[in-house]
Amino acid sequence: MDNMQEYHLIIKCLKEIYSGKNLKEVILKVDDNKYRNKIKNHCYQILKNYYSIKFILTRLLKKIPNQDVYLILQMGIYEITYSVKPPYAIVNDLVNLTKKYNGKYKNLVNAVLQNYLRKKDLLKQELIDYKVGANLSNWLSDKIIEYYPNKYEQIFNALNADVKITLRVNKRKTNIEKYIEVLEDNEIEYKVLNNVIILEKENNIINIPFFADGYVSIQDSAAQYISDILAKYSIQPKRILDACAAPGGKTCLLLENYDLDLTALDNSQNRLDKIKENLNRLDLNCKCILADAASKDWWDYNKFDFILADVPCSAIGTIKKNPDIRVNRLETDISKFVGLQRKIVVNLFDMLETNGYMLYVTCSILKDENEDNIKWFSNNIVGFELITDIQILPDLYNDGLYYALIRKLSK
Ligand SMILES: C[S@@+](CC[C@H](N)C(=O)[O-])C[C@H]1O[C@@H](n2cnc3c(N)ncnc32)[C@H](O)[C@@H]1O
């Protein structure tokens, strides 16, 4: 694949992402395995730096050109700022690329990129002065500042940190000590924090030893916190409903640690297939049902003693791994998620035994989806008792997740 083909593919992927798709699903459609990672990284970096790039382009353009040309300019600003390729080669390649899309814009692309080369340092300072460096939409950075007046800078840094692979060891096949020996034999740098293995440099799943054999899974360390909660409150679940289960990270964690009668539910067939893939790889088993957690259509009226409600949410806490959220998540989405979360929890609460536990989880750091929802549940659901809640903020090693442990009291 030559440079031009790569650029074409990046433009194609970015167009799909800007139309609302996520990076992970778009990248899977790139046929060429060998280049998929490279194209993914390029798109990832452009999305990660989207607001800085956009800011720079508003300083260099009188008006926004058509989408293809605007994307070419985004790639140019990104490459000139962050890549090691010589600037003259970048400008040359991108002017040639413009000719293939719409020749009449080649002079514009050349002029804008040359102008950027001249003003780079000045614009870098402006990014600092105008606090664009967090690379978030205005509504989102305002909300984070409002909710975390003393911690927002730390959150911004965490959301912009490099992604590190974190592993969960499958205790049915191995243990941390033995798996660490394997990493050492393979000269893979790691650190262990709170029973989670963090790979310091490795970022390709293909190089993770015994991954295909089900010895380990990739799972964020905050997502593994569910084990700590169950242990701390001495909860020994038996009949579990994992109501929004795909791709099955927490489902598999539970099955690796407890002997369970577990039902995993998800309303997306594609995503339910991912749970099955994970179960197969890890040699685990449970019932998988395609169904809506906000409905009772699928239920046999046998109650559960533990319900995991890892509800659909804005996923703001995972922006580091899902940079498309920076661009595609709208402020108006939040109230839609809140409405769905309430509908799901109200419905699931009927399926819980008296004295049974529900663990409400989001990968959001917005109070709307977390503390505010808990207040709403306790005012609107009979028998609802909050045992504890914790907001894990994103940091260098983990995503931001919220957990609320709830018990069902007799009415
Ligand atoms: C945050 S993810 C769950 C992550 C999963 N628990 C894990 O640890 O890997 C939320 C899931 O809810 C599913 N979902 C969204 N709306 C749903 C609904 N109404 N009923 C059931 N599942 C739903 C989505 O398809 C998505 O897979």
Side-chain angles (χ1 to χ4, degrees):
M1 187 180 289
D2 65 21
N3 245 355
M4 287 297 138
Q5 283 170 300
E6 256 181 68
Y7 281 136
H8 281 305
L9 273 177
I10 294 166
I11 288 186
K12 193 164 168 260
C13 289
L14 285 175
K15 270 187 185 170
E16 281 199 53
I17 293 164
Y18 292 155
S19 77
K21 299 226 166 67
N22 69 55
L23 174 63
K24 280 183 191 148
E25 64 180 311
V26 166
I27 217 69
L28 282 178
K29 288 195 236 156
V30 175
D31 292 330
D32 198 325
N33 251 339
K34 203 165 139 216
Y35 288 92
R36 193 181 291 146
N37 231 8
K38 205 168 165 200
I39 286 163
K40 182 179 169 189
N41 284 341
H42 212 123
C43 291
Y44 177 93
Q45 293 299 340
I46 290 177
L47 294 166
K48 179 177 173 184
N49 296 291
Y50 177 80
Y51 291 97
S52 295
I53 294 172
K54 198 172 151 202
F55 177 89
I56 290 170
L57 283 173
T58 56
R59 290 286 192 271
L60 299 172
L61 282 166
K62 287 201 184 74
K63 68 176 184 130
I64 305 233
N66 74 40
Q67 194 190 22
D68 292 331
V69 177
Y70 194 50
L71 288 173
I72 291 171
L73 288 171
Q74 287 184 18
M75 291 196 295
I77 302 297
Y78 162 69
E79 285 206 296
I80 290 171
T81 315
Y82 300 100
S83 84
V84 287
K85 198 167 146 186
Y88 72 85
I90 297 171
V91 177
N92 196 32
D93 280 352
L94 291 175
V95 168
N96 285 334
L97 181 72
T98 312
K99 286 184 200 158
K100 295 200 186 320
Y101 280 90
N102 194 334
K104 77 173 184 190
Y105 288 105
K106 67 179 193 312
N107 291 339
L108 175 88
V109 168
N110 186 43
V112 169
L113 296 182
Q114 296 289 358
N115 201 10
Y116 179 51
L117 283 169
R118 281 190 294 273
K119 294 187 173 159
K120 221 169 106 186
D121 292 339
L122 197 83
L123 288 168
K124 200 171 163 192
Q125 185 55 44
E126 279 199 38
L127 287 177
I128 298 167
D129 296 344
Y130 286 86
K131 297 190 172 26
V132 190
N135 272 301
L136 297 171
S137 53
N138 288 338
W139 74 265
L140 183 55
S141 59
D142 288 352
K143 240 184 198 311
I144 295 176
I145 293 170
E146 180 195 336
Y147 289 162
Y148 301 98
N150 301 318
K151 292 191 177 151
Y152 70 87
E153 283 185 349
Q154 167 195 328
I155 296 173
F156 290 167
N157 287 339
L159 296 178
N160 284 297
D162 291 337
V163 176
K164 294 206 191 292
I165 289 186
T166 47
L167 299 177
R168 180 188 81 240
V169 168
N170 181 357
K171 293 189 189 125
R172 299 210 183 254
K173 295 207 174 202
T174 184
N175 59 41
I176 291 204
E177 292 70 28
K178 282 191 196 150
Y179 192 74
I180 280 172
E181 280 176 26
V182 176
L183 290 177
E184 285 174 357
D185 290 347
N186 285 275
E187 296 180 4
I188 295 178
E189 284 182 45
Y190 68 89
K191 95 160 55 156
V192 180
L193 276 181
N194 193 24
N195 286 326
V196 174
I197 299 177
I198 298 157
L199 302 187
E200 291 287 13
K201 297 212 172 109
E202 187 52 66
N203 60 12
N204 196 340
I205 190 170
I206 293 169
N207 299 330
I208 299 175
F210 297 107
F211 180 84
D213 306 284
Y215 280 46
V216 284
S217 297
I218 296 178
Q219 186 172 41
D220 186 77
S221 64
Q224 298 184 44
Y225 190 72
I226 182 171
S227 306
D228 301 55
I229 296 188
L230 293 182
K232 186 166 174 200
Y233 290 88
S234 307
I235 300 172
Q236 289 280 345
K238 289 189 185 63
R239 205 178 119 70
I240 293 197
L241 171 64
D242 186 354
C244 302
K250 298 186 190 69
T251 318
C252 294
L253 178 152
L254 289 166
L255 291 167
E256 286 167 8
N257 287 284
Y258 302 91
D259 292 321
L260 291 171
D261 170 5
L262 190 150
T263 302
L265 206 80
D266 206 277
N267 72 345
S268 150
Q269 183 62 59
N270 277 347
R271 291 179 61 84
L272 203 65
D273 291 343
K274 291 266 168 242
I275 306 184
K276 292 179 188 161
E277 258 173 48
N278 280 322
L279 290 169
N280 282 341
R281 185 178 61 82
L282 297 163
D283 284 333
L284 301 167
N285 212 339
C286 73
K287 268 175 250 136
C288 293
I289 302 180
L290 176 67
D292 178 4
S295 133
K296 293 195 177 65
D297 291 354
W298 57 273
W299 188 39
D300 62 4
Y301 288 81
N302 271 324
K303 292 197 171 175
F304 298 90
D305 62 355
F306 189 93
I307 295 180
L308 175 59
D310 191 1
V311 291
C313 70
S314 65
I316 300 297
T318 70
I319 277 183
K320 184 169 38 171
K321 291 186 187 128
N322 301 301
D324 43 273
I325 294 174
R326 291 176 195 271
V327 181
N328 289 338
R329 185 67 70 235
L330 305 176
E331 188 171 12
T332 48
D333 293 340
I334 305 304
S335 57
K336 291 181 198 154
F337 281 119
V338 167
L340 179 59
Q341 289 154 357
R342 291 179 182 181
K343 220 171 140 196
I344 288 176
V345 170
V346 166
N347 184 53
L348 296 176
F349 211 69
D350 290 339
M351 304 179 181
L352 191 60
E353 279 176 3
T354 301
N355 293 322
Y357 291 95
M358 177 183 283
L359 189 60
Y360 175 82
V361 187
T362 74
C363 47
S364 174
I365 54 171
L366 303 183
K367 293 187 195 260
D368 319 47
E369 301 175 273
N370 301 339
E371 289 95 323
D372 291 354
N373 257 353
I374 296 301
K375 275 188 209 130
W376 188 90
F377 298 147
S378 54
N379 289 332
N380 289 278
I381 302 179
V382 179
F384 182 97
E385 183 195 28
L386 175 68
I387 307 284
T388 187
D389 70 338
I390 176 170
Q391 174 70 68
I392 302 177
L393 292 178
D395 69 20
L396 294 183
Y397 296 115
N398 60 256
D399 289 336
L401 265 80
Y402 174 79
Y403 288 88
L405 181 66
I406 297 151
R407 188 164 45 195
K408 184 170 185 172
L409 302 174
S410 54
K411 295 178 186 171

